Amino acid sequence: MPRPLVIIHGWSDHAATFKTLAARLRETRGGEVTTISLAEYVSMNDYVTFDDLAAAMDTAWTRRGLPRDPRSIDAIVHSTGGLVIRDWMKRMPIAEIPINHLVMLAPANFGSPLAHKGRSFIGRVVKGYDNKEGAFQTGARILRGLELASPYSWNLALTDRFGDRAAMYGPGGVLCTVLVGNRGYSGIRAVANEDGSDGTVRVSTANLNCARLEADFVDRPMEPTYRVTESSGTVGFAVMDGHNHTTITLNESSGRSERDKLLLERINKALDVSDGNFAAWCGTLRQETDALMDEIDTRSETQGFQNTVVRVVDQDGNAVPDYFIEFYDDDKDPKDLIAKMFHTTALVDVHAYGDDPSYRSLYVNCTKLERVIDKVDEALSVSITAHPSVGEDPGQSPVGYSTMNAADIGGCRIPQAQLSSVFRRNRTVLVTLRLKRERAQRLFDFTGAP
C-alpha cells in the first residue's frame, strides 16, 4: 500500500507554496501517493519557539489522524522545516519514528546567514511587511535558533548526528536525502546572496552530514591534542546546480526545464529508494555532487565552503566568550605566507552568536585553502588567545587564561595529508576548544591572626 506524504514548509512560508510540488508529485507518482498533507504553522510570531512547534506538530499529527506506526509515512521538508521535524523525531524512541523517507529541500540544519540580519533587512528585502502576526514581528525566537553558530542547532546535531541516536538515519530507519541549490536570488533579494549559498542557506549548513573536532589545551597547552569524529548514520546529499532557495520548491514552476526535471526526478527517487539500495543511492549523489563541484570550482560563487562552528570552554565546561583563533604555519615561514593567505583569502566570514559569543561560525573556502596548503611538508596550525590574561600583578586579572605568549600555548598541527579530514567542502564541523581557566594566588588567601 502506498505511504501517505506530508510536506512541511519553512520559516515565514505557508502551505500554499507547496501546492505546485504536490501536484507534480501526484502527476509523476500516480498510485505511489495516497494522500498529501500540507503542514501549516506559525513561524513569524516573536514568542514561538522550536519547542512549541515540535509539541504543536505532535498534537496536529494526532488531530489529523496521520499514521504513527514505524516507517509508515514519508515527508518532504523545506528550510526551517528540517529543524522542526528533527526536533520532533528526537522526542520519540528511534524504533517508533513514523517517518520512512525524508526529503530535505534546502534545509537550515546549521542555520542561515539571514537570521541575524535584523528585522528591517528581513522585512524589506526578504519577506516584506505583510506579516499578519504583527508589524515587524519576524519570529525572533525561531530566528535565534536559525542564527549561524546557534546553541540550538549545535545541541540538536549532538543529539541526532552523534552517538546512539544517529542510528535513526539509514537502512532500517529514516532514509534521509538532502537537496540544496547553489545559486542566489535575482532582483532586490540579490543583496542577501553570498558565495556558496542558495540565497538563504549555505550549502554547507544544509548538509546533515557533519563532523566534530575536539581539541584540548588544558593539560598540555604547548602540545594540545585533537580528534575528529564523523557523524554516524547514513544521509544522502546532493547539490542541485542552478537552483536557489525558492526554485528548489518548484513553486510556480512549469517543470519543463532540465533543472526542474532533474530536481523532480531526484525527489521521486529519494521517496522510492529501498533499504538495500540506500547506500548506493548516497554514493551516487556523492559522486555526482563531487563531479559538479569539480566542474564549477573555477566560479568563485560556487566554490566549496565549510561552516566551521567553534565553541570555546574552560576545563569545567563554562563558556569562554572573548577569544581570537589564529591559523598559521608552525614551520615558521619567515614571510608567514600561509597565515596571511588563510586569514585574508580562505577565511571568508566570522560570525559570533549574538546571545553567546563563545559560539562562532567561521566560513572557510576549502577550495582556496587546498591551493594555499598544497605541499606534503606544509601544515596548518590552530591556536587560541583568550581574554582576560591571568597574572599575579595588581594590574592583571586574578582569573583568566595563559595564552598571550608563545611560551604559554602551542597549536594543533594539521598536516597537509590530514587537512581534508578537518576542512571539507559543503559540510559543517563542530569544533570544541578547551582551555584551562587559572586563578592567581592573590585571588584568595588566608593570613595569620594579628
Side-chain angles (χ1 to χ4, degrees):
M1 178 178 178
R3 283 180 301 276
L5 174 70
V6 297
I7 301 178
I8 303 175
H9 66 74
W11 165 81
S12 79
D13 212 341
H14 305 282
T17 300
F18 294 89
K19 289 181 178 179
T20 299
L21 177 59
R24 294 281 180 270
L25 291 172
R26 288 193 179 97
E27 291 171 3
T28 55
R29 299 182 64 77
E32 295 301 315
V33 176
T34 53
T35 58
I36 298 179
S37 299
L38 301 179
E40 187 75 84
Y41 64 92
V42 175
S43 63
M44 293 284 278
N45 183 287
D46 285 346
Y47 301 99
V48 172
T49 67
F50 277 103
D51 187 69
D52 291 327
L53 291 179
M57 175 177 167
D58 197 67
T59 300
W61 194 277
T62 299
R63 186 169 61 246
R64 178 74 176 180
L66 295 172
R68 287 189 179 270
D69 293 334
R71 311 188 79 198
S72 58
I73 190 169
D74 295 334
I76 297 175
V77 297
H78 178 237
S79 196
T80 309
L83 292 170
V84 174
I85 200 167
R86 287 172 60 202
D87 201 326
W88 177 70
M89 290 191 298
K90 80 175 185 184
R91 299 161 186 262
M92 59 190 75
I94 295 176
E96 297 178 11
I97 294 175
I99 304 299
N100 187 356
H101 297 91
L102 173 59
V103 182
M104 292 184 166
L105 302 178
N109 283 317
F110 291 97
S112 164
L114 293 185
H116 61 272
K117 296 292 187 181
R119 293 183 177 184
S120 60
F121 179 91
I122 292 170
R124 171 62 76 182
V125 176
V126 183
K127 291 298 174 184
Y129 293 116
D130 59 350
N131 180 15
K132 63 183 179 181
E133 293 297 320
F136 287 101
Q137 288 209 43
T138 55
R141 287 165 174 77
I142 297 299
L143 288 177
R144 286 175 194 164
L146 284 171
E147 186 176 339
L148 295 173
S150 78
Y152 173 76
S153 60
W154 175 290
N155 291 324
L156 184 57
L158 292 188
T159 298
D160 72 352
R161 296 306 291 126
F162 301 93
D164 294 340
R165 276 206 73 83
M168 65 188 284
Y169 294 109
V174 179
L175 302 179
C176 178
T177 301
V178 175
L179 305 175
V180 62
N182 62 356
R183 279 286 190 274
Y185 299 118
S186 59
I188 188 173
R189 291 193 299 169
V191 72
N193 295 343
E194 68 171 17
D195 291 350
S197 84
D198 69 355
T200 294
V201 301
R202 294 169 173 173
V203 174
S204 55
T205 61
N207 192 355
L208 197 51
N209 295 310
C210 51
R212 293 185 69 189
L213 187 154
E214 299 171 276
D216 195 337
F217 290 82
V218 174
D219 296 324
R220 301 171 64 185
M222 291 302 298
E223 298 178 350
T225 59
Y226 76 92
R227 64 173 182 172
V228 179
T229 306
E230 300 287 339
S231 54
S232 302
T234 307
V235 174
F237 172 76
V239 175
M240 305 304 299
D241 191 29
H243 279 283
N244 64 37
H245 199 69
T246 298
T247 63
I248 203 162
T249 67
L250 292 175
N251 185 34
E252 299 179 358
S253 167
S254 66
R256 295 174 182 173
S257 72
E258 291 303 314
R259 287 174 178 168
D260 286 350
K261 289 179 182 177
L262 177 60
L263 173 60
L264 187 58
E265 177 186 311
R266 287 269 176 84
I267 293 173
N268 277 316
K269 286 186 177 180
L271 291 172
D272 290 333
V273 64
S274 65
D275 288 336
N277 292 330
F278 190 67
W281 165 246
C282 294
T284 297
L285 294 180
R286 184 167 52 252
Q287 291 175 2
E288 292 179 355
T289 296
D290 285 344
L292 172 65
M293 295 298 299
D294 291 341
E295 175 188 346
I296 64 180
D297 233 1
T298 55
R299 305 201 308 245
S300 62
E301 74 276 8
T302 53
Q303 289 175 345
F305 298 80
Q306 176 173 284
N307 176 47
T308 311
V309 183
V310 178
R311 189 190 183 207
V312 181
V313 297
D314 65 19
Q315 68 271 30
D316 299 317
N318 299 312
V320 178
D322 191 353
Y323 61 87
F324 172 74
I325 296 178
E326 180 183 5
F327 298 86
Y328 63 97
D329 175 10
D330 68 353
D331 293 329
K332 307 301 181 185
D333 184 335
K335 296 183 180 180
D336 292 326
L337 290 178
I338 287 180
K340 179 180 179 181
M341 294 183 72
F342 185 93
H343 284 276
T344 62
T345 303
L347 184 58
V348 178
D349 178 66
V350 178
H351 173 75
Y353 180 68
D355 290 344
D356 184 353
S358 69
Y359 290 89
R360 300 183 191 178
S361 168
L362 281 62
Y363 198 36
V364 179
N365 187 322
C366 295
T367 302
K368 292 184 177 179
L369 179 60
E370 291 172 1
R371 294 170 185 168
V372 171
I373 304 177
D374 59 353
K375 298 181 178 61
V376 174
D377 59 346
E378 290 181 333
L380 182 70
S381 289
V382 184
S383 191
I384 182 170
T385 301
H387 181 79
S389 181
V390 67
E392 292 291 351
D393 296 335
Q396 295 178 293
S397 173
V399 295
Y401 314 94
S402 295
T403 58
M404 289 297 294
N405 301 313
D408 294 331
I409 193 168
C412 294
R413 187 176 190 274
I414 308 170
Q416 190 268 347
Q418 299 176 14
L419 201 65
S420 63
S421 69
V422 179
F423 294 97
R424 190 178 304 164
R425 64 192 182 189
N426 299 339
R427 73 165 183 181
T428 291
V429 172
L430 306 178
V431 179
T432 302
L433 304 181
R434 293 184 177 87
L435 293 178
K436 183 177 182 180
R437 183 177 176 88
E438 302 182 32
R439 288 94 181 178
Q441 180 177 312
R442 66 187 178 88
L443 177 64
F444 196 110
D445 203 357
F446 292 97
T447 60

